[in-house]
């Protein structure tokens, strides 16, 4: 059976403060956090089935044969409407917030992986949630496992 991982975010206050209290000399905070994320994602994938969202997991787990790398995307209009509706986004321009966030994700991904974020060649499957709908994307992924 294939594994699929799930890690929404472990960047909570207590975890981060304990993580940064044992810093490795020579690493900046971002590099130290990358090391923690890398080790955590690798350990979770080794323990059993899990879903990991983001955190360059496509790169970290690229050598695992039992891992499905999925990229879910949508056009800006769909994404902007969704963050207002689902997350209560109140900014005047949710589109600009999404563009800024995408830019930061792309820079982070490129820096730590030397790969282009969102490029189809880096994933086993890409799905357009704006066209297919979120529930259909979930169904497709579940059917693959």
């Amino acid at each position: 059976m294939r594994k699929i991982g799930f890690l929404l975010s472990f960047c909570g206050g207590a975890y981060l403060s304990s993580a940064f209290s044992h810093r490795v000399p020579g690493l900046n905070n971002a590099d130290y956090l990358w090391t923690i994320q890398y080790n955590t994602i690798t350990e979770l994938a080794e323990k059993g089935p899990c879903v990991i969202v983001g955190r360059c997991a496509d790169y970290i787990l690229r050598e695992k044969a039992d891992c499905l790398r999925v990229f879910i995307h949508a056009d800006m209009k769909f994404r902007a409407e969704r963050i207002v509706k689902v997350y209560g986004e109140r900014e005047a321009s949710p589109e600009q917030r999404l563009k800024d966030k995408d830019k930061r994700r792309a820079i982070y991904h490129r820096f730590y992986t030397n790969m282009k974020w969102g490029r189809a060649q880096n994933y086993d499957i890409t799905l357009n949630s704006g066209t297919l709908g979120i529930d259909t994307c979930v169904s497709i992924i579940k059917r693959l496992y």
Side-chain angles (χ1 to χ4, degrees), residues 44 82 93 128 131 136:
L44 285 171
R82 186 167 189 273
S93 176
N128 185 332
T131 302
T136 300

Side-chain angles (χ1 to χ4, degrees), residues 102-141:
D102 287 350
K103 184 177 180 180
R104 286 191 305 273
R105 283 182 178 133
I107 290 168
Y108 179 86
H109 198 274
R110 172 74 78 175
F111 183 81
Y112 285 104
T113 69
N114 202 29
M115 294 168 33
K116 188 172 181 181
W117 175 71
R119 193 169 193 192
Q121 293 89 328
N122 299 334
Y123 304 91
D124 300 309
I125 184 172
T126 63
L127 301 169
N128 185 332
S129 62
T131 302
L132 298 171
I134 294 169
D135 291 338
T136 300
C137 290
V138 170
S139 294
I140 291 168
I141 295 167

Side-chain angles (χ1 to χ4, degrees), residues 22-32 35:
H22 305 291
R23 289 211 38 220
V24 176
L27 292 179
N28 64 35
N29 287 346
D31 291 339
Y32 185 64
T35 302

Side-chain angles (χ1 to χ4, degrees), residues 22-119:
H22 305 291
R23 289 211 38 220
V24 176
L27 292 179
N28 64 35
N29 287 346
D31 291 339
Y32 185 64
L33 184 57
W34 166 257
T35 302
I36 292 170
Q37 288 177 172
Y38 189 99
N39 292 337
T40 302
I41 289 168
T42 303
E43 288 171 19
L44 285 171
E46 289 301 319
K47 285 181 181 177
C50 57
V51 175
I52 301 169
V53 178
R55 308 289 174 229
C56 299
D58 60 308
Y59 173 80
I60 294 169
L61 301 175
R62 70 193 178 283
E63 309 262 331
K64 292 191 65 59
D66 59 350
C67 179
L68 179 69
R69 286 163 293 277
V70 179
F71 188 80
I72 300 174
H73 59 94
D75 65 27
M76 187 58 68
K77 183 177 186 285
F78 179 85
R79 293 172 62 209
E81 289 172 0
R82 186 167 189 273
I83 67 169
V84 170
K85 179 180 171 187
V86 175
Y87 299 106
E89 179 68 35
R90 300 276 186 243
E91 286 188 20
S93 176
E95 294 87 359
Q96 187 58 49
R97 180 164 187 255
L98 288 166
K99 287 177 189 174
D100 293 343
K101 199 169 200 169
D102 287 350
K103 184 177 180 180
R104 286 191 305 273
R105 283 182 178 133
I107 290 168
Y108 179 86
H109 198 274
R110 172 74 78 175
F111 183 81
Y112 285 104
T113 69
N114 202 29
M115 294 168 33
K116 188 172 181 181
W117 175 71
R119 193 169 193 192

